[in-house]
Amino acid sequence: ILALGLAHGTLVDGAGDGEQAEATGNVAVEARAVAVHDTSVNPFIMPQSGTELGDPFPTYWDGVWHLYTLSADLRQVFHFTSKDLVKWTEHRPAMVGRRIATGTVVRDDGKYYLFYTDAGPQTIRLVVSDNPWQFHGTKSRLVAQADNKVYQLHKRKFRDCYVFYKEEEMLWWMLVEATSNNAVAVGLFKSKDLLTWTQHDPIFKDESRQHASCPQMFKNDGHWYLTCLDYPTWYYYATEPHGPWKLGGYYHTSRLTAASRWADDGKRRLGWGFFTKHSTPEGTNRGYGGPLGVGREMIVTADGAICVRPLPELIATLREPNRNSDIFACAKELSGTWTLDADRQELQCTSDAGGVLLLDLPEENPNYYFEAEIELFPPEATAAVVVRCSKEFDEGYRVALKPAEKRSSVRQFAANGGTFDEREHAFASGAPTLLQIFVCDGQIEAFVDGRVSLSSRVRNRTEHRVAIAITGGRATIHKPLLHYFQQAAD
């Protein structure tokens, strides 16, 4: 039991026998707590049972973030809640059954509506509850299905419903991934009461797409945005909610899946994805399901681009002194010349050709968060932070920054090694680059300048050191920080 608690969350006293009373809206209910997951201890959420997760569909009510997410076997809807975005309470599954695929949970007039996809026939169903904790699948009703005229089922796409209130029309809108005239589409249905739905023509069609999974639409600064998953996760923008839509780009790679659903508290949008199994330079491993990735906050830039950064509340907790290593006490030169200034919190590589600095960490813990602001001279120089690095500096994973090539990546250690994940990124000229790396259990995530994210599964879970490698120039590493996560489970 203790091993499970360390691996997946903290067991709640009496979980399974006792109950934790919570209130949401005007309804006070009994919410059965199973575990508490502290993301400053393990940033990648898995249920207490160890069941792999699928598509998340978060929402927000009354100061509480609710994270609903599928189980990989489509038999459960897991439910996590948080007020501080660091500690997450896992509750008993919100719904149990079979063939439960992606949907939405909304609240209206004291009732809670869980829309979901019946993955067998590819239809949209609804369960209504008087609380957000328990939805009885036996009470579900059919609310939408392909008519085989406007929407066809021959490509098995009528799924992933997203429901929201369209204030301009005073109607509820439902978006679904669909097929229309042999093109991938986002279908539209409308309702006054959330129970009876009227079919409309699709708002989006694209013959070049294979998927428009987990669609969501929102308005920001006078523009409408449409996000959807097609490996990777893409976004479109338009001046009207029916389009025409222009492709903006993508903000997640294919390594983090179903990260196109966002919860909105009226001030910002937060989202999650999960680590699908995928082929990497370490081998082939495909399949649906895995742990959730680090929570993200959406940033929309001045030019309308969607970017992401890790949750600021989590970063603030990781920066607290507790469980942070003294980097300056364990830094060792492997090559080049380095100046270490603990008072200024700076590591400087002063050799024109670069060099390598090894952080020979005293705690043999391969799970940690590392961040630093990296300044390179000249701009053509490159930097790599090697996580899970060996003492001999011959093994690990390189999180590489190449400003001149406008590229960041997670790569194998060898110079000619394979790439786990890679993104284009326009580095700011003459400014340090903020690099934030989460490495825990079998996953790595990195964020560059609070704009670009990299994600991948990895196999090496034993090496515990960090190295900083500079090539082709000098560098100053500002405010380096290392926070330990949990020890790897036996």
Side-chain angles (χ1 to χ4, degrees):
I1 293 176
L2 179 60
L4 280 173
L6 288 172
H8 304 297
T10 302
L11 292 170
V12 174
D13 291 341
D17 297 318
E19 293 182 342
Q20 172 184 321
E22 297 198 13
T24 299
N26 299 320
V27 181
V29 299
E30 296 296 318
R32 185 72 62 85
V34 175
V36 175
H37 302 264
D38 187 337
T39 54
S40 71
V41 174
N42 185 338
F44 306 127
I45 296 176
M46 284 278 281
Q48 186 66 47
S49 63
T51 304
E52 291 189 322
L53 299 176
D55 298 2
F57 38 103
T59 190
Y60 175 90
W61 300 302
D62 306 321
V64 179
W65 298 91
H66 293 253
L67 181 51
Y68 295 93
T69 182
L70 303 180
S71 63
D73 61 8
L74 304 185
R75 291 182 176 273
Q76 301 175 80
V77 176
F78 284 98
H79 186 190
F80 306 87
T81 60
S82 180
K83 292 183 179 180
D84 64 8
L85 295 170
V86 176
K87 293 183 179 180
W88 290 84
T89 299
E90 178 186 345
H91 306 277
R92 288 175 52 178
M95 191 164 77
V96 177
R98 60 191 182 96
R99 306 185 313 201
I100 307 170
T102 305
T104 312
V105 183
V106 298
R107 183 177 71 182
D108 184 54
D109 195 25
K111 297 288 186 180
Y112 296 82
Y113 299 76
L114 192 159
F115 295 86
Y116 71 99
T117 305
D118 185 334
Q122 296 281 293
T123 57
I124 308 302
R125 302 188 69 87
L126 165 66
V127 179
V128 183
S129 175
D130 61 2
N131 68 78
W133 315 107
Q134 193 169 28
F135 297 85
H136 297 285
T138 56
K139 299 180 180 179
S140 74
R141 67 182 79 184
L142 177 69
V143 293
Q145 60 184 331
D147 64 346
N148 289 318
K149 295 178 182 179
V150 176
Y151 302 112
Q152 301 89 39
L153 262 184
H154 65 275
K155 288 191 177 181
R156 302 292 296 162
K157 284 187 177 66
F158 193 85
R159 61 193 184 192
D160 295 359
C161 52
Y162 173 68
V163 177
F164 68 104
Y165 189 68
K166 185 75 161 47
E167 293 184 357
E168 294 87 344
E169 297 184 6
M170 299 181 66
L171 291 172
W172 293 91
W173 277 31
M174 178 194 295
L175 307 182
V176 295
E177 180 187 15
T179 302
S180 183
N181 296 329
N182 295 316
V184 166
V186 174
L188 174 63
F189 291 73
K190 298 182 183 182
S191 175
K192 293 181 179 180
D193 60 5
L194 289 168
L195 301 177
T196 303
W197 293 84
T198 303
Q199 177 180 296
H200 295 262
D201 289 339
I203 64 166
F204 170 88
K205 291 168 65 175
D206 190 341
E207 293 181 357
S208 67
R209 285 265 169 258
Q210 294 188 32
H211 306 280
S213 301
C214 304
Q216 179 170 351
M217 192 168 69
F218 59 87
K219 194 174 185 180
N220 185 86
D221 196 23
H223 283 84
W224 289 92
Y225 285 81
L226 175 67
T227 60
C228 60
L229 169 68
D230 188 24
Y231 304 98
T233 304
W234 300 84
Y235 71 93
Y236 296 78
Y237 61 94
T239 56
E240 300 293 335
H242 291 275
W245 296 93
K246 295 181 180 180
L247 178 61
Y250 66 92
Y251 57 88
H252 282 121
T253 68
S254 59
R255 309 314 193 192
L256 193 78
T257 300
S260 56
R261 290 292 176 86
W262 300 90
D264 186 343
D265 69 350
K267 299 178 181 177
R268 58 180 181 160
R269 294 181 181 89
L270 308 183
W272 288 259
F274 73 91
F275 285 92
T276 188
K277 302 179 183 71
H278 59 271
S279 297
T280 74
E282 295 176 312
T284 300
N285 183 18
R286 291 189 174 275
Y288 179 81
L292 295 182
V294 172
R296 280 118 161 101
E297 180 176 5
M298 178 189 291
I299 303 296
V300 181
T301 64
D303 59 359
I306 290 181
C307 302
V308 295
R309 66 177 181 179
L311 296 177
E313 289 84 350
L314 175 58
I315 297 301
T317 301
L318 299 180
R319 288 173 177 170
E320 293 176 358
N322 184 38
R323 291 192 62 75
N324 289 348
S325 178
D326 185 352
I327 285 176
F328 292 85
C330 61
K332 296 181 179 180
E333 291 183 3
L334 293 187
S335 65
T337 302
W338 292 79
T339 299
L340 314 182
D341 191 332
D343 292 335
R344 294 173 60 89
Q345 288 292 290
E346 288 183 350
L347 307 167
Q348 287 188 315
C349 177
T350 57
S351 303
D352 289 339
V356 176
L357 187 71
L358 179 70
L359 305 182
D360 194 5
L361 301 168
E363 185 171 334
E364 295 184 4
N365 183 349
N367 297 325
Y368 47 74
Y369 167 79
F370 177 86
E371 75 168 31
E373 296 176 10
I374 302 176
E375 194 171 5
L376 297 170
F377 315 92
E380 292 75 24
T382 65
V385 174
V386 184
V387 296
R388 291 195 173 152
C389 181
S390 61
K391 186 175 183 179
E392 294 76 20
F393 189 63
D394 60 359
E395 189 176 351
Y397 301 100
R398 292 180 182 267
V399 182
L401 306 176
K402 296 185 176 182
E405 298 180 15
K406 298 181 179 180
R407 191 160 296 277
S408 57
S409 61
V410 178
R411 304 180 61 87
Q412 286 181 305
F413 178 84
N416 60 349
T419 301
F420 290 84
D421 201 0
E422 191 170 36
R423 292 290 307 277
E424 290 186 359
H425 174 58
F427 293 80
S429 177
T433 297
L434 174 62
L435 180 60
Q436 300 167 290
I437 306 172
F438 299 78
V439 51
C440 192
D441 296 336
Q443 294 79 224
I444 288 179
E445 289 208 270
F447 295 80
V448 183
D449 282 335
R451 294 171 65 96
V452 165
S453 67
L454 302 161
S455 308
S456 186
R457 289 177 178 256
V458 294
R459 290 186 179 176
N460 179 348
R461 303 190 186 191
T462 57
E463 300 291 350
H464 67 278
R465 297 169 181 84
V466 177
I468 301 170
I470 307 299
T471 304
R474 295 169 286 118
T476 300
I477 316 301
H478 303 275
K479 297 182 287 188
L481 177 147
L482 187 140
H483 168 93
Y484 284 116
F485 293 130
Q486 66 176 24
Q487 286 281 6
D490 294 333

